[in-house]
Amino acid sequence: MKKRSKWLVGLLATGSLLAFAACGEKESEAGADVGSDTNETAKDETTELSVSVWGYDANPEFKAMFGAFEDQHPNVKIKVVDIAADQYENKVTTMLAGGDTTDVLGMKDVGSYVNYANKNQLVDLTEAIEGLSEDDFANYKGNLDGYKTEKDQYFAMPFRKEIYMMFYNKGIFDEAGVDYPGDLTWDEYEKLAADLTSGEADSKVYGTYYHTWYPLVQALAANQTGNDLMSGKYDFLADYYDRVLRLQNEGHAMDYATIKTTSTTYSSVFETGKTATMIMGSFYLGKLINSINTNNLDLDWGVTTIPQNEKGEIKTYGGPTGFAVSNHSKNKDLATEFVKFCSGEEGAKAVSAIGMTTAYQSDAVLDVLASVEGMPQDEQFKKALKPDHNGWELLARPEAAAINTILGEEHDLIMVQDNTVEKGIKEITKRIETEVE
């Protein structure tokens, strides 16, 4: 196993370098695509606002927000700076260091966000947040805190706040004669995964699926046990790793190494009926509905709360996704207005209308989400949308980027079983103690 794992890590590293070498920035004029055909103005009366995003075509929330903003600001045209998702942070880092004047920057990763803020590369938005009305501030449900720095400053505002929940394929449950899931404990979930696994080779259906992101194990463990991933102590990870490795080794979940080496996507596994259940973020809601409609998929699905250690409170996690204003922007006031719009109620309505959970969560916004055609309407889904605790992956602290790297690297080694769980946890603890200032 050791030999195989070292080959895997080498292959992944080579692939990352090739992806970086092949990556290029693609700029596209968004006006006709994302805006309205009404209220057209002469070109010399239009202000162009450039916004960097990742995977524009694959992430419909960007088009929805940009179109809504242009509809309300007919003299503004959004210029989309579209960057490959897997190279986004590297590209934005290079852009900011080189004085690029892109006005608004999508914040994909909290660690990178903190680095940009600490280098004085982002406009301080604290005053804009402090100027919110009491009602507006309350409607964020604490979701602004994902970008609060150690000095209680904000350099970005979120437009999305994820909620991790459990998706399930009703058809697989029906065929197995098993009741649909709800309010599961982890023990019940593990048994369910075993009961729903069937078939062999290409026809195999897994009881559950874990994608390769480390927070699916680590952030869940932290938030459900009252810990955090920046504490320097990680013994609380053991039970969660033992479970997912047990599911993998017993054949009830797809092998991690296979997922990595074949670049398997979580959407392809769920949408082709290869798994009965899958823990995934709420960003998948709208994407799943869109895929079903676009590809005419015969897929009956549902959503329930994420499994817990014991019955009672629902504890989960989810990271923020937002926008910041570059300090190199030539249109800082307009850029700030854009960020506030996307993060606020109007932007939230546009994002909710395509089936995604937002950082701003007024009753009106939640009503828009519930009204999306194809969205589940049962009580379990409604409960999943309102967990008792929806914590963070990493806090906006200077050490976040370094910790993120260590957690990801050691997660790989544990999951391909190059390290035991015990050794992996010791490595995480040791590396964070010695490598993180």
Side-chain angles (χ1 to χ4, degrees), residues 410-423:
E410 295 302 325
H411 176 72
D412 271 349
L413 295 174
I414 293 172
M415 289 303 298
V416 299
Q417 300 181 73
D418 197 30
N419 278 343
T420 64
V421 173
E422 182 180 6
K423 182 179 178 182

Side-chain angles (χ1 to χ4, degrees), residues 251-329:
H252 304 144
M254 188 178 293
D255 180 78
Y256 183 90
T258 300
I259 297 170
K260 292 282 277 192
T261 56
T262 60
S263 299
T264 298
T265 63
Y266 66 84
S267 56
S268 67
V269 173
F270 190 77
E271 291 165 26
T272 59
K274 290 294 184 182
T275 185
T277 68
M278 179 176 73
I279 294 171
M280 189 49 59
S282 51
F283 55 81
Y284 186 44
L285 292 167
K287 292 184 177 183
L288 177 56
I289 291 172
N290 182 64
S291 183
I292 290 172
N293 294 335
T294 302
N295 300 309
N296 295 315
L297 298 180
D298 182 18
L299 178 61
D300 192 8
W301 60 285
V303 170
T304 186
T305 55
I306 208 159
Q308 305 292 312
N309 288 310
E310 57 186 34
K311 303 286 186 181
E313 283 189 324
I314 303 303
K315 299 177 182 179
T316 187
Y317 79 98
T321 307
F323 285 122
V325 178
S326 171
N327 251 336
H328 299 304
S329 170

Side-chain angles (χ1 to χ4, degrees), residues 125-194:
L125 299 178
T126 306
E127 187 175 329
I129 290 173
E130 290 176 344
L132 293 170
S133 69
E134 288 187 14
D135 286 345
D136 277 342
F137 192 83
N139 281 329
Y140 279 101
K141 313 294 185 186
N143 292 329
L144 290 166
D145 288 350
Y147 291 129
K148 183 191 287 187
T149 67
E150 283 184 308
K151 297 180 180 179
D152 292 337
Q153 293 174 292
Y154 301 84
F155 295 86
M157 294 181 71
F159 58 83
R160 275 190 1 223
K161 172 63 163 82
E162 307 308 342
I163 306 168
Y164 273 75
M165 47 187 62
M166 193 173 85
F167 291 74
Y168 63 94
N169 184 317
K170 290 184 176 181
I172 296 174
F173 277 77
D174 291 342
E175 188 173 342
V178 176
D179 292 338
Y180 298 150
D183 299 320
L184 296 175
T185 64
W186 284 113
D187 289 341
E188 291 171 336
Y189 159 83
E190 194 168 351
K191 181 180 184 303
L192 191 65

Side-chain angles (χ1 to χ4, degrees), residues 38-289:
T38 61
N39 298 318
E40 291 185 358
T41 59
K43 185 174 182 180
D44 59 357
E45 297 176 356
T46 300
T47 299
E48 185 176 79
L49 190 72
S50 54
V51 183
S52 74
V53 299
W54 55 93
Y56 177 78
D57 291 333
N59 294 288
E61 66 270 30
F62 296 129
K63 185 173 184 178
M65 287 184 290
F66 298 173
F69 186 80
E70 286 187 343
D71 284 346
Q72 292 198 15
H73 301 78
N75 293 333
V76 178
K77 185 176 183 180
I78 304 297
K79 179 181 180 180
V80 180
V81 181
D82 189 12
I83 302 171
D86 61 348
Q87 292 301 322
Y88 185 78
E89 289 89 350
N90 289 336
K91 182 65 177 178
V92 171
T93 298
T94 302
M95 289 163 59
L96 286 169
D100 180 274
T101 57
T102 298
D103 298 298
V104 177
L105 305 169
M107 292 291 105
K108 187 171 182 282
D109 173 81
V110 170
S112 297
Y113 155 75
V114 177
N115 285 343
Y116 306 149
N118 286 343
K119 292 176 182 177
N120 197 34
Q121 294 172 324
L122 305 178
V123 171
D124 188 344
L125 299 178
T126 306
E127 187 175 329
I129 290 173
E130 290 176 344
L132 293 170
S133 69
E134 288 187 14
D135 286 345
D136 277 342
F137 192 83
N139 281 329
Y140 279 101
K141 313 294 185 186
N143 292 329
L144 290 166
D145 288 350
Y147 291 129
K148 183 191 287 187
T149 67
E150 283 184 308
K151 297 180 180 179
D152 292 337
Q153 293 174 292
Y154 301 84
F155 295 86
M157 294 181 71
F159 58 83
R160 275 190 1 223
K161 172 63 163 82
E162 307 308 342
I163 306 168
Y164 273 75
M165 47 187 62
M166 193 173 85
F167 291 74
Y168 63 94
N169 184 317
K170 290 184 176 181
I172 296 174
F173 277 77
D174 291 342
E175 188 173 342
V178 176
D179 292 338
Y180 298 150
D183 299 320
L184 296 175
T185 64
W186 284 113
D187 289 341
E188 291 171 336
Y189 159 83
E190 194 168 351
K191 181 180 184 303
L192 191 65
D195 292 343
L196 292 169
T197 299
S198 64
E200 298 291 339
D202 291 342
S203 63
K204 183 166 186 175
V205 174
Y206 294 92
T208 195
Y209 175 84
Y210 273 88
H211 202 52
T212 56
W213 307 323
Y214 79 78
L216 282 167
V217 179
Q218 297 182 11
L220 258 183
N223 281 283
Q224 291 190 340
T225 61
N227 291 283
D228 73 75
L229 293 178
M230 305 180 78
S231 67
K233 299 179 180 180
Y234 300 95
D235 288 345
F236 63 87
L237 296 176
D239 288 345
Y240 285 75
Y241 269 117
D242 286 342
R243 180 186 304 112
V244 69
L245 288 173
R246 189 162 55 241
L247 286 165
Q248 174 181 287
N249 292 338
E250 293 175 357
H252 304 144
M254 188 178 293
D255 180 78
Y256 183 90
T258 300
I259 297 170
K260 292 282 277 192
T261 56
T262 60
S263 299
T264 298
T265 63
Y266 66 84
S267 56
S268 67
V269 173
F270 190 77
E271 291 165 26
T272 59
K274 290 294 184 182
T275 185
T277 68
M278 179 176 73
I279 294 171
M280 189 49 59
S282 51
F283 55 81
Y284 186 44
L285 292 167
K287 292 184 177 183
L288 177 56
I289 291 172

